[in-house]
Amino acid sequence: MNILAINFGGIGDEIFFLPTLISLKKEYPNSKITLALEPRSKSVKDLTDIIDDLFLIDIKGKNKYTELLKLVYLARKGHFDMVISSGGNKLISILLTLTGIKRKYGYDTGKLSQILLTEAIPLNKNQYACKMYHDLISPITDQKTDLPEINVEPQEKIKNSVLIHPGVSKMSIQKGMVKTVNPEIWAETVDLLLAKGKKVILAGGPDDKEVIDTIRDRTKNKNFEDYYGKTKSLKDLAILIGKAEQFICSDSAPLHVAVAMKTKTFVIFGPTDDKKLIPQSENVTPVKAHDKCPIKPCLWEHRQTTCESLDCLKITAKDIVDMIL
């Protein structure tokens, strides 16, 4: 079975999509799986051997339609037996039809999808995102994979350690999506944890340089272990997360890596819906403000950018530390 899977989004979306691919591989052990995704998310392949090949399609760039035509060309050239595509755009069923692939699966976006697709699957956004994506293959297999699984061995834990990864992607910031507390709160969190005798490790990716620099500058106690720049890949970060006894992060891709590593994780949540972004698990705890915003969570549900007041992110360092200790 030669399978094409299409899932556009950030690295977190690709990690959410892994259980779907894993179940397909269980159903068709000798299959070849090609994933079409955005170039910014290609590092997901470092975490798994489920994906045999990648099609890099830059749909967020200036040449969106040229890139989609490239996808159609690559799909036709690849002689695929089946295509599975996420996304709720009504034109996806047309895109899949243009590929010439016989078996086509996507979400039900109306009559067109019901006519063009082999099966149009109801889109249920009110559930954990891994389950939402997994619904796509419900007509294909009874295999169930609930959580992301990655090719990183369980790590020996660093005793009494708390790993902090404070950042979010620059793309979300540029789009006006504020999803975490300010660097000063993170710096105070580091100080409080060190005062409680914890071994604090600070990490971040290239997008997090400004946040990390502010934390370095604002912390009163400098006795934390600074791992910024030492994790050269997503797999390196996964190994580091696996070594930590506890992990604190924002609503961002490292959260989903931590879920896969089964590390005890505490996540800052403000305008987004924790019920859709974390599994029901003792390993993952949302840290939320005690605000009374009537439309919380609002991001993507009621608005595409966060509001100016951000009452939902009025979380103190003490709030964070009290959840952990």
Side-chain angles (χ1 to χ4, degrees):
M1 182 67 70
N2 192 13
I3 301 170
L4 175 62
I6 303 171
N7 186 46
F8 297 129
I11 188 66
D13 291 291
E14 302 310 330
I15 296 173
F16 280 141
F17 202 54
L18 284 179
T20 303
L21 302 182
I22 292 166
S23 288
L24 281 172
K25 196 70 170 183
K26 290 176 181 176
E27 182 69 20
Y28 304 107
N30 298 318
S31 62
K32 176 185 177 183
I33 296 177
T34 299
L35 177 62
L37 76 173
E38 295 177 45
R40 62 186 172 125
S41 304
K42 64 182 180 181
S43 58
V44 71
K45 198 172 186 301
D46 297 336
L47 299 178
T48 180
D49 57 8
I50 293 295
I51 302 166
D52 297 288
D53 198 6
L54 297 178
F55 289 166
L56 303 183
I57 309 297
D58 188 9
I59 62 163
K60 294 284 172 59
K62 295 179 180 179
N63 302 311
K64 174 181 177 179
Y65 296 106
T66 301
E67 290 290 299
L68 289 173
L69 286 173
K70 181 175 81 173
L71 174 57
V72 170
Y73 169 76
L74 291 172
R76 285 183 168 273
K77 185 180 177 183
H79 303 291
F80 293 97
D81 303 300
M82 177 193 302
V83 59
I84 296 102
S85 177
S86 67
N89 192 303
K90 291 185 177 182
L91 299 179
I92 285 177
S93 57
I94 297 176
L95 176 69
L96 299 191
T97 301
L98 290 173
T99 65
I101 301 170
K102 187 174 180 181
R103 295 175 63 185
K104 304 176 288 293
Y105 299 88
Y107 291 121
D108 187 344
T109 57
K111 288 185 178 180
L112 194 60
S113 64
Q114 294 165 14
I115 294 168
L116 295 178
L117 299 181
T118 304
E119 186 104 20
I121 295 93
L123 173 56
N124 177 9
K125 293 183 177 181
N126 295 313
Q127 58 179 331
Y128 180 41
C130 283
K131 292 184 177 181
M132 178 187 74
Y133 287 140
H134 205 282
D135 286 346
L136 284 166
I137 58 171
S138 56
I140 301 169
T141 179
D142 292 328
Q143 298 284 349
K144 295 289 183 185
T145 308
D146 294 325
L147 297 175
E149 299 171 10
I150 60 178
N151 288 351
V152 177
E153 294 295 321
Q155 302 292 307
E156 183 178 348
K157 296 293 184 182
I158 300 170
K159 189 176 179 181
N160 201 35
S161 59
V162 180
L163 173 63
I164 296 177
H165 192 294
V168 295
S169 71
K170 272 192 175 177
M171 181 174 286
S172 64
I173 296 169
Q174 290 166 355
K175 289 185 174 181
M177 301 176 187
V178 181
K179 298 193 291 180
T180 192
V181 295
N182 62 49
E184 289 76 18
I185 296 296
W186 285 113
E188 190 178 346
T189 300
V190 171
D191 284 332
L192 286 176
L193 287 169
L194 289 170
K196 297 289 185 179
K198 289 290 186 180
K199 180 179 178 63
V200 178
I201 305 167
L202 184 65
D207 285 358
D208 308 321
K209 186 179 186 306
E210 291 180 15
V211 174
I212 296 292
D213 284 345
T214 302
I215 294 171
R216 288 166 171 165
D217 182 58
R218 295 298 180 93
T219 47
K220 297 174 183 176
N221 188 337
K222 308 298 181 183
N223 291 324
F224 58 88
E225 197 160 345
D226 194 339
Y227 259 74
Y228 178 74
K230 295 181 181 180
T231 51
K232 301 298 184 182
S233 67
L234 199 58
K235 190 167 186 177
D236 285 348
L237 178 61
I239 291 170
L240 183 60
I241 291 172
K243 290 179 178 179
E245 283 191 352
Q246 297 172 302
F247 179 48
I248 313 173
C249 63
S250 307
D251 169 17
S252 59
L255 156 63
H256 312 304
V257 175
V259 170
M261 292 302 297
K262 299 180 174 60
T263 294
K264 183 67 176 175
T265 301
F266 300 86
V267 195
I268 304 298
F269 269 101
T272 51
D273 192 345
D274 58 289
K275 293 181 179 62
K276 298 178 183 179
L277 297 170
I278 60 175
Q280 292 183 349
S281 166
E282 293 181 355
N283 277 339
V284 191
T285 303
V287 181
K288 299 191 284 187
H290 301 293
D291 63 307
K292 296 181 180 179
C293 177
I295 61 170
K296 176 185 172 180
C298 67
L299 192 57
W300 305 318
E301 304 293 333
H302 304 286
R303 61 173 101 238
Q304 298 302 307
T305 59
T306 45
C307 67
E308 292 183 5
S309 63
L310 285 175
D311 290 339
C312 62
L313 282 171
K314 290 180 178 176
I315 301 168
T316 68
K318 185 176 183 301
D319 292 334
I320 299 170
V321 173
D322 284 349
M323 293 285 287
I324 294 169
L325 301 178

